[in-house]
Amino acid sequence: MRRNAIAIKKFPWISLALLLATYGIIGWQLSALESHWILWILAAVATVLLAVAVSSPWSKVRDGFASCFKSDSKAFLVAVAIAFFSVVIITWLHIFVHILVVLSASMLVRLDVQATRWSSRQSFWLIAIASLVSLALGAFVHIGVEPHLTVISYQLSDIS
């Protein structure tokens, strides 16, 4: 019994709550924009890809980046690509802020899970499932709450 209590205490509750909140807000915003279903599929794929990237061992990520700089031509192409993406990020900063918040929350969950000595596979499943469920939950909450918000705003406009 004591072992389970220790495991529950070590579970990353706060960082997971942050991850759930960030994806819930994104789901709410996508629902509010009445996004096309293709955008929802892209969001789900990006969520899984981010979970894969965050939960992969850092040595593999480091080796992948190191291979980009083995020759001068590859290094030049990487530098041009980084410059291009930097301009795109600065131009659409309002969009990339959301991506940075999601990335930060995912990395925080990964660090907390890593501190509890979970495997990469376990952290991937935790991050992926929590993110996808929260994305969908944010959309469902928006769908359920929006009619009530419309009624409240309509009633407030009658008062003034």
Side-chain angles (χ1 to χ4, degrees), residues 37 40 48 57 70 81 134 148:
W37 61 271
W40 282 100
V48 172
K70 285 189 177 179
S134 181
H148 302 294

Side-chain angles (χ1 to χ4, degrees), residues 53-157:
V54 168
S55 63
S56 67
W58 290 108
S59 60
K60 289 183 181 181
V61 174
R62 184 188 64 228
D63 293 343
F65 279 121
S67 69
C68 291
F69 295 105
K70 285 189 177 179
S71 69
D72 290 339
S73 59
K74 283 184 182 179
F76 175 73
L77 289 175
V78 169
V80 169
I82 289 173
F84 172 75
F85 287 120
S86 297
V87 169
V88 170
I89 287 171
I90 291 170
T91 304
W92 291 330
L93 191 61
H94 62 284
I95 294 171
F96 283 96
V97 167
H98 295 290
I99 294 170
L100 288 174
V101 169
V102 167
L103 181 65
S104 302
S106 299
M107 291 179 77
L108 183 63
V109 171
R110 170 64 173 143
L111 287 173
D112 281 351
V113 168
Q114 189 176 8
T116 59
R117 305 221 186 263
W118 285 24
S119 69
S120 295
R121 180 171 287 161
Q122 290 172 328
S123 65
F124 163 73
W125 285 112
L126 175 69
I127 293 169
I129 291 172
S131 300
L132 290 172
V133 166
S134 181
L135 189 69
L137 190 63
F140 289 134
V141 168
H142 176 263
I143 291 169
V145 170
E146 183 186 26
H148 302 294
L149 292 177
T150 306
V151 169
I152 291 170
S153 67
Y154 180 74
Q155 290 172 349
L156 290 176
S157 66

Side-chain angles (χ1 to χ4, degrees), residues 26-36 39 142:
I26 289 175
W28 179 292
Q29 288 177 341
L30 284 175
S31 178
L33 292 173
E34 297 176 4
S35 302
H36 196 266
L39 191 58
H142 176 263

